[in-house]
Amino acid sequence: MDIRIGDVLEMKKNHPCGSRRFEVLRIGMDFRLRCEGCGHEMMLPRLKAEKNVRRIERRE
């Protein structure tokens, strides 16, 4: 998958705040994501994140 810093990922599952959209802050073996609903930042393993992505939006 071609995921870049600054992309917005729409995931299959909701964050507890109800939002499905996450901004990519860091990539590598883990992704650092920020929830667009509440601003919570989290680290997810690459395999788990890529498996749960529904759509990728590029920010130009």
Side-chain angles (χ1 to χ4, degrees):
M1 257 186 181
D2 184 30
I3 297 174
R4 301 177 191 158
I5 295 174
D7 289 352
V8 176
L9 307 178
E10 183 176 330
M11 304 299 254
K12 292 180 182 175
K13 294 185 178 181
N14 292 345
H15 188 250
C17 73
S19 176
R20 289 180 183 226
R21 296 170 48 89
F22 296 87
E23 180 182 359
V24 178
L25 302 176
R26 179 178 169 271
I27 54 176
M29 281 298 293
D30 296 323
F31 287 169
R32 178 175 284 278
L33 304 174
R34 178 186 298 138
C35 175
E36 290 201 334
C38 64
H40 181 79
E41 292 185 11
M42 67 197 84
M43 296 285 284
L44 270 180
R46 177 182 280 272
L47 292 175
K48 187 171 183 179
E50 287 181 348
K51 187 175 100 174
N52 289 321
V53 170
R54 181 172 285 172
R55 184 170 41 144
I56 300 172
E57 296 177 12
R58 299 266 185 240
R59 290 213 174 148
E60 307 280 337

